[in-house]
Amino acid sequence: VRSGVVGPSVSALVRDVRRVMEPHTATHLKERRNNRLRDFVMVAGQLGVSHFMIFSRTEKNTNLRICRVPRGPTLTFRVAEYALAKDCLSLQKAPKTSDLEYRKSPLLVLNNFKQPGNQFKIMTVMLQNMFPSIDVQTMQLSQARRVLLFNYNQDTEKIDVRHYSIGVKATGVSKSIKRVINTDIPNLGDYDDISDYILKEAVVSESDVEDGPESTVTLSQDYHGRQHRKNDQRAVRLHELGPRMSLELVKVENGMCGGEVLYHRY
């Protein structure tokens, strides 16, 4: 939600973050200027809301508070930098996005959070509780469609937030063969034989053919798409969806937007 007057850019960021949190979020919530935090807290239990993400803006900073309903704790971040989803997609030659990817929650990845200090333990638990738990023994592979990454950068002491969709591709074949595998029958009007289409380039670049072993997996289950079956080897690709954020933890409070200060950066 927004708190106070934040401007059109931060309002767009709020909409992007709601999109990231789908399907377990209030996508169509519309705040009014006379709404107060206690108004949302009063109806949170009835609506099954467990956390609030509150964006606000001052003359100097854009801030984000993540609160556990109804008794806290609360994490307060300074949003040092951000880029909207539309900006991330505009940088890509062929952006890949679909509404189907948002029918399941993203997989949460916390990197480099094993740092000294209770604030990291609180952040870890808070972020993990914002998403449904995963049982790797019963999880359906087809449900893994997106990744939300929180990476702590020790050099800058900031948390980089990235949002990706997960894609898989056939390995060990050239681009021309991939087009045959991944699409319907290609246009062969300019060729005498399909072999001419496949062999039209005598030299195929290394990147066209083989993906590195570090990005290749064997599918344990059928994945979405007709050509991805159990035990097939596929290369995993991450496509950035946005938004991007760089967060600096400023304060940790043990209550709902108040209470004892457990950590303060300054």
Side-chain angles (χ1 to χ4, degrees):
V1 296
R2 296 170 296 175
S3 177
V5 179
V6 297
S9 183
V10 176
S11 295
L13 178 62
V14 172
R15 291 192 294 270
D16 286 346
V17 172
R18 286 180 183 170
R19 182 79 162 152
V20 171
M21 302 301 292
E22 285 190 4
H24 305 296
T25 186
T27 306
H28 302 293
L29 176 67
K30 294 184 179 180
E31 308 95 325
R32 298 176 180 175
R33 289 192 175 184
N34 59 350
N35 284 144
R36 297 291 182 266
L37 180 60
R38 62 175 178 270
D39 299 330
F40 295 112
V41 174
M42 289 179 63
V43 299
Q46 303 172 25
L47 301 177
V49 175
S50 61
H51 294 79
F52 285 138
M53 300 180 72
I54 306 170
F55 285 88
S56 59
R57 184 179 174 185
T58 65
E59 293 183 359
K60 294 183 178 180
N61 299 314
T62 299
N63 300 309
L64 167 63
R65 286 177 292 172
I66 301 179
C67 317
R68 173 81 179 188
V69 179
R71 291 182 291 274
T74 300
L75 307 176
T76 301
F77 299 92
R78 181 177 71 88
V79 183
E81 298 175 326
Y82 66 89
L84 301 178
K86 65 177 183 180
D87 299 322
C88 297
L89 294 175
S90 67
L91 297 175
Q92 302 174 30
K93 184 178 180 180
K96 300 179 182 296
T97 180
S98 167
D99 289 339
L100 296 176
E101 296 163 348
Y102 294 91
R103 294 183 178 179
K104 296 294 181 181
S105 295
L107 303 180
L108 176 65
V109 177
L110 301 178
N111 184 56
N112 207 24
F113 270 65
K114 291 185 178 180
Q115 304 290 331
N118 287 332
Q119 68 270 25
F120 288 96
K121 296 179 181 178
I122 296 173
M123 275 196 294
T124 299
V125 173
M126 177 80 87
L127 294 173
Q128 288 175 339
N129 287 338
M130 290 174 64
F131 299 89
S133 59
I134 296 174
D135 186 344
V136 295
Q137 302 298 327
T138 60
M139 177 184 173
Q140 294 296 313
L141 192 60
S142 59
Q143 296 178 358
R145 304 294 293 266
R146 293 183 291 138
V147 172
L148 182 59
L149 169 66
F150 287 80
N151 175 66
Y152 178 71
N153 188 322
Q154 288 180 280
D155 296 330
T156 63
E157 296 185 341
K158 293 182 175 65
I159 300 169
D160 300 316
V161 183
R162 300 290 185 270
H163 180 219
Y164 302 96
S165 65
I166 302 173
V168 294
K169 291 186 176 181
T171 60
V173 294
S174 66
K175 283 186 177 180
S176 56
I177 297 179
K178 284 182 181 179
R179 291 191 192 103
V180 176
I181 296 174
N182 295 331
T183 64
D184 295 330
I185 298 175
N187 184 3
L188 302 177
D190 296 331
Y191 303 94
D192 296 328
D193 189 86
I194 191 171
S195 61
D196 296 333
Y197 169 75
I198 295 175
L199 301 174
K200 63 179 178 179
E201 296 178 2
V203 179
V204 180
S205 68
E206 183 178 337
S207 62
D208 285 348
V209 177
E210 196 67 33
D211 296 285
E214 67 280 357
S215 64
T216 302
V217 298
T218 300
L219 299 180
S220 59
Q221 303 172 15
D222 291 350
Y223 198 59
H224 66 89
R226 61 182 180 180
Q227 70 274 17
H228 306 307
R229 296 291 178 258
K230 182 179 179 180
N231 296 327
D232 287 348
Q233 280 208 341
R234 291 292 184 263
V236 178
R237 290 287 183 268
L238 296 180
H239 307 282
E240 188 168 11
L241 297 172
R244 297 181 182 183
M245 289 189 291
S246 179
L247 305 177
E248 179 184 59
L249 181 65
V250 176
K251 183 169 59 174
V252 178
E253 300 164 290
N254 72 344
M256 177 76 179
C257 295
E260 181 186 354
V261 176
L262 304 178
Y263 166 84
H264 204 295
R265 181 176 176 84
Y266 303 106

